[in-house]
Amino acid sequence: MQCPLCERRQARRRCPALGREICAVCCGSKRLSEIACPADCGYLVSAQAHPPAAIRRQHERDLGFIIAMREGLSQIQSDLFWAVLTFVAGFEGDPLLKLTDQDAAEAAGSLAATYETADRGVIYEHRPNSLVAQRLATDIQRFLAELARESGRPVPDRDAAVVLRHLEKGAREAQRILGEGPTNALDAIGRVMQAVGRARADEASGKDVPVETSGSVIVRP
């Protein structure tokens, strides 16, 4: 039987999410991205317990990149940093205007400048050049305002600026650290925050979760 997803390879694995057989390549490459795998899928459980060496190396690079980006932050700033990364990982912009690392750097830098100006007692909104960066900067600012309302404590302009400068620096240095590519920083952020989400779910279900391990990219903010 031909795989219904790629329509090229032979279907040999029964997929519980799709209710039909697919090929091993599609099972591995589309898992949890294009296929909503149930938690008890045997292939998923096996892959998470024993990820291939290439995936482990990628996880280690991702985690090293994020930890380096976080370096030097205070505990309050670190908590804010993880909150901002969670928001950025889930950001949904215009489907016709794909967000790049450059856009993320511009958004973080301009918003950091706005908070730095406010910390000096001057209200002035710095705006990035690209439309998608403007959208991201506006949405992050709204997110931080909502975070302050929910917690009942204002987010200090200085702390917000420091966190955003760290994000800006990471986005600008991603190609040097992670290799060529327009979305390397955003991809790494997305993968790490997905791992954090799985760790939180495991923790809530009573499973033991390590605080930080470079091999499995589990980070507890």
Side-chain angles (χ1 to χ4, degrees):
M1 181 185 297
Q2 195 175 52
C3 174
L5 300 183
C6 65
E7 298 183 343
R8 296 197 311 273
R9 292 174 288 269
Q10 195 167 12
R12 296 180 182 275
R13 292 188 178 182
R14 181 68 181 175
C15 177
L18 301 178
R20 49 187 173 170
E21 291 189 346
I22 61 176
C23 71
V25 173
C26 285
C27 173
S29 62
K30 302 178 187 300
R31 184 180 297 142
L32 294 177
S33 56
E34 297 180 35
I35 302 175
C37 310
D40 60 352
C41 171
Y43 297 111
L44 174 63
V45 172
S46 177
Q48 290 177 334
H50 307 287
I55 293 179
R56 290 199 301 270
R57 287 194 296 270
Q58 181 184 66
H59 287 178
E60 290 170 359
R61 287 195 300 269
D62 289 346
L63 182 59
F65 173 70
I66 298 298
I67 295 302
M69 201 192 313
R70 187 186 66 174
E71 187 176 357
L73 297 178
S74 68
Q75 184 59 56
I76 292 176
Q77 292 166 351
S78 183
D79 291 343
L80 187 60
F81 171 81
W82 287 114
V84 169
L85 286 199
T86 301
F87 179 83
V88 170
F91 174 74
E92 296 182 0
D94 189 326
L96 299 179
L97 297 172
K98 183 174 176 59
L99 183 70
T100 67
D101 292 346
Q102 179 62 32
D103 295 320
E106 285 188 21
S110 64
L111 190 52
T114 297
Y115 285 121
E116 288 162 352
T117 303
D119 188 51
R120 295 193 295 269
V122 179
I123 305 301
Y124 180 81
E125 183 179 4
H126 299 261
R127 295 182 65 82
N129 294 322
S130 76
L131 292 176
V132 66
Q134 290 176 18
R135 167 76 181 277
L136 177 61
T138 298
D139 286 3
I140 291 176
Q141 192 169 28
R142 288 174 179 167
F143 167 71
L144 293 178
E146 182 62 28
L147 198 65
R149 282 193 293 271
E150 290 179 357
S151 66
R153 299 189 304 273
V155 175
D157 292 332
R158 184 172 301 178
D159 288 336
V162 169
V163 166
L164 290 165
R165 287 300 184 194
H166 278 244
L167 175 58
E168 177 191 15
K169 182 180 179 182
R172 294 195 188 283
E173 294 184 345
Q175 287 198 11
R176 178 179 63 81
I177 298 172
L178 301 174
E180 294 294 326
T183 61
N184 279 345
L186 292 170
D187 292 342
I189 289 170
R191 287 189 292 265
V192 169
M193 298 318 297
Q194 186 178 56
V196 170
R198 289 197 299 268
R200 285 173 173 166
D202 288 344
E203 189 175 37
S205 66
K207 296 181 181 179
D208 292 332
V209 179
V211 176
E212 288 184 2
T213 65
S214 61
S216 58
V217 195
I218 298 297
V219 181
R220 184 183 300 163

